[in-house]
Structure formats: C-alpha cells, structure tokens
Amino acid sequence: GNGTSGATIGHGLGKVPSMILVKRRNTNLGWTVYHEDLGTGSEVYLNMTQAVTNSNFWITSPTTSVFSVSDSDYVNASSDTYVGYVFANLDGACKAGSYTGNGSTDGTFVYTGFRPAWIMQKKSNNTGHWHIWDSTRNKSNEVTRYLSADDTSVEATDGGLDIVSNGFKPRKTGTGLNASGDTYIYLAFADQPFKFSNAR
C-alpha cells in the first residue's frame, strides 16, 4: 500500500471486475469485498455476517485494467502488504450477480448462463452468513450441504437449492438464502467452462 486515496492497482483481466476481495496480510483486519451490484461506495466483509456498509474503500468503478482504493488500512495503508482476488464475469465460466428472495420453496431462479459447480452467496441488505454450495458434495438436487466462509462451523445440511443447467434456484425459505424481499449477492463458477476452449 501507499496510503494514497485514489491509488490504482492493475489486475490484468482485460475485463471490468465484478467482484474484488482484498486482505491486509501483515495485521489482523478483515477481508473487504467489492461487488458490482453494491457499487463503489459500499462493501461487505468475507469474514463477517454484517450487512453492507459504506466506508468508501473503492474510490471509482474498476476498469478493464485497474481498480482504485482509498487510503483505508483495510485496502491501502502505507507500506503494508495486501493480497487481492479479482473476478470478472465471463460467459460460460464465471458470474457475479444478485437476486431478490421471495420467501418461497419455489425460489427465485438465478440465471448464470452455465451449470454452476460452486456458488457463494450472502444476504447484503441485512446480516447473514456467506454460504458456499457445490455440485460435488450433493450429486443431485436438492443441494442441502453448505459451508460458511465467515465462521469455523462444520458443514451444515439444512440447505437447499437446486443447481440446474443455466443457474440455480433456492428451495428453502430461510433468511440466509431466500427471505422475501431481501437482496443477496453471489459469485458462481461453471461446472464445465468450455465456451472459449481451444479443443480441435
């Protein structure tokens, strides 16, 4: 870090990032998360359950080459070291987005454009865990097993959702996944990200 508000960091993706995770490595501070559906003035924390906050860690919207940060200790304190993970939406491979819960066992269908192998989602407008779902531990629907990124609990089995060929669909009414009117952000990776393969 350089302690300068508005500092830019190159990411090399060639696409505008949809989700960014940054962690200060040399002290005990949380993982701050930028998500395009929350905007530059807002963030959530990967290691916490709290709702979206407005600390302005992200000064301007990211571009195809850089993202910008404030001078906060969380993202850019002078001479401190950081690690960042940057994700851009890529057709058939990766998707960050959001959805609104409907409080029904016939939940909102969330279109990703591919069959997800891995999904991480969190309620953003209120407190809630980061739930991690995958297509490996449950081979068929309904997917009931999940882990929480923000705590050390063992695997939970009271999910669930359906993972389908082009997205996912909550099947529970719980507040962590599908409460009526609540907003959830997510990041998903494809089971077979082959749209841009070079096979012959």
Side-chain angles (χ1 to χ4, degrees):
N2 64 13
T4 301
S5 184
T8 58
I9 297 98
H11 55 71
L13 294 178
K15 292 175 68 69
V16 176
S18 302
M19 190 166 176
I20 304 169
L21 293 75
V22 171
K23 172 76 171 76
R24 185 170 166 182
R25 294 167 51 206
N26 60 332
T27 192
N28 187 23
L29 286 177
W31 287 87
T32 184
V33 179
Y34 163 84
H35 192 284
E36 66 177 2
D37 286 355
L38 300 179
T40 55
S42 304
E43 65 283 325
V44 286
Y45 297 89
L46 185 62
N47 56 301
M48 302 178 191
T49 61
Q50 72 185 61
V52 64
T53 59
N54 303 107
S55 300
N56 295 312
F57 292 157
W58 322 103
I59 298 300
T60 58
S61 297
T63 71
T64 56
S65 58
V66 300
F67 65 94
S68 61
V69 291
S70 72
D71 57 357
S72 166
D73 289 354
Y74 279 86
V75 292
N76 189 29
S78 181
S79 300
D80 287 307
T81 56
Y82 296 84
V83 62
Y85 298 95
V86 186
F87 304 94
N89 288 344
L90 181 64
D91 289 348
C94 177
K95 180 75 168 73
S98 63
Y99 66 94
T100 302
N102 65 6
S104 169
T105 54
D106 183 18
T108 302
F109 172 68
V110 183
Y111 177 79
T112 60
F114 52 77
R115 176 178 171 80
W118 186 93
I119 303 160
M120 181 168 67
Q121 51 79 218
K122 185 201 184 311
K123 183 190 294 189
S124 60
N125 66 310
N126 209 327
T127 58
H129 290 289
W130 289 89
H131 293 144
I132 300 172
W133 314 81
D134 64 74
S135 60
T136 300
R137 287 173 294 154
N138 283 121
K139 297 293 186 183
S140 59
N141 292 323
E142 177 181 328
V143 176
T144 59
R145 300 177 181 180
Y146 62 91
L147 296 167
S148 295
D150 52 85
D151 67 28
T152 59
S153 300
V154 299
E155 176 184 77
T157 58
D158 61 341
L161 53 78
D162 286 347
I163 293 177
V164 297
S165 62
N166 58 354
F168 63 94
K169 185 179 183 68
R171 289 296 186 183
K172 295 287 186 181
T173 61
T175 59
L177 177 64
N178 188 32
S180 180
D182 280 337
T183 303
Y184 299 83
I185 57 172
Y186 71 87
L187 175 67
F189 298 115
D191 184 41
Q192 298 185 37
F194 294 145
K195 180 171 181 178
F196 300 105
S197 68
N198 293 318
R200 55 182 185 178

